[in-house]
Amino acid sequence: MFSPFLETVRKSAASLWDFLTRPSSSITDPHLRQQSRLLASLLLAAMFVVFSLILFSIRTSNTMLGARTWLVFSISLMILVWVAYLLTRKGYYRFAIWALLVLSTAGIFAPALAVGGPGSYNSLFYLFTITLFACTFLPLTTAILSAGVQLILLI
């Protein structure tokens, strides 16, 4: 179906992706292995998005209010995602999820509070993404508790 060159590229890309998302051998439960692979895939995508946002913010930093604060927190978020990815690959899947949940919530609130002003609170819409993340990887009661804590923090 594909040309030989494209087939070679596809197989190489598939083996690379499998290597980058393969869960640790210490995770033996099939459901947890699947969740760990999904988390690793999402974290790789998040690394690409955060890196793109950092590049974009560097180019537009002179025109944005509190750009330096947002840049510092974006770089911190990039480091956090890398650490969570490495923890996921090493078999510390649950710890990586909890660390991402707590630190991402703090990382969304902190720059909004540091910069201040009505425009800085637009980033609080990203809390919805953190709630979806919690619903995907944590038990439902924990996800509801997480959403409740975030709602209380917003008030």
Side-chain angles (χ1 to χ4, degrees):
M1 179 168 195
F2 293 112
S3 71
F5 173 73
L6 288 178
E7 188 63 29
T8 305
V9 170
R10 186 192 66 79
K11 285 183 181 180
S12 298
S15 65
L16 176 66
W17 188 257
D18 183 57
F19 171 75
L20 290 174
T21 61
R22 185 180 313 125
S24 171
S25 59
S26 66
I27 302 174
T28 56
D29 180 33
H31 178 70
L32 285 179
R33 286 185 67 80
Q34 181 182 22
Q35 290 289 87
S36 181
R37 182 177 290 262
L38 176 62
L39 180 61
S41 299
L42 288 175
L43 291 175
L44 283 173
M47 283 186 255
F48 175 73
V49 168
V50 171
F51 183 71
S52 300
L53 289 173
I54 289 171
L55 289 179
F56 177 73
S57 69
I58 289 172
R59 291 184 48 96
T60 60
S61 63
N62 293 334
T63 60
M64 294 172 53
L65 174 66
R68 180 166 292 168
T69 304
W70 292 106
L71 182 61
V72 167
F73 278 98
S74 295
I75 291 171
S76 301
L77 178 62
M78 182 72 170
I79 294 169
L80 168 68
V81 170
W82 270 106
V83 169
Y85 172 74
L86 293 174
L87 285 171
T88 300
R89 293 294 313 274
K90 297 289 184 189
Y92 300 104
Y93 163 73
R94 293 279 183 198
F95 180 73
I97 293 170
W98 278 102
L100 274 173
L101 179 66
V102 171
L103 295 175
S104 296
T105 301
I108 289 171
F109 271 104
L113 295 174
V115 172
S120 68
Y121 299 121
N122 291 339
S123 66
L124 296 178
F125 290 110
Y126 293 119
L127 286 175
F128 177 72
T129 306
I130 304 302
T131 303
L132 285 177
F133 174 78
C135 291
T136 302
F137 294 104
L138 296 172
L140 185 59
T141 54
T142 308
I144 291 171
L145 180 65
S146 162
V149 168
Q150 290 175 354
L151 185 62
I152 290 170
L153 289 173
L154 282 172
I155 295 173

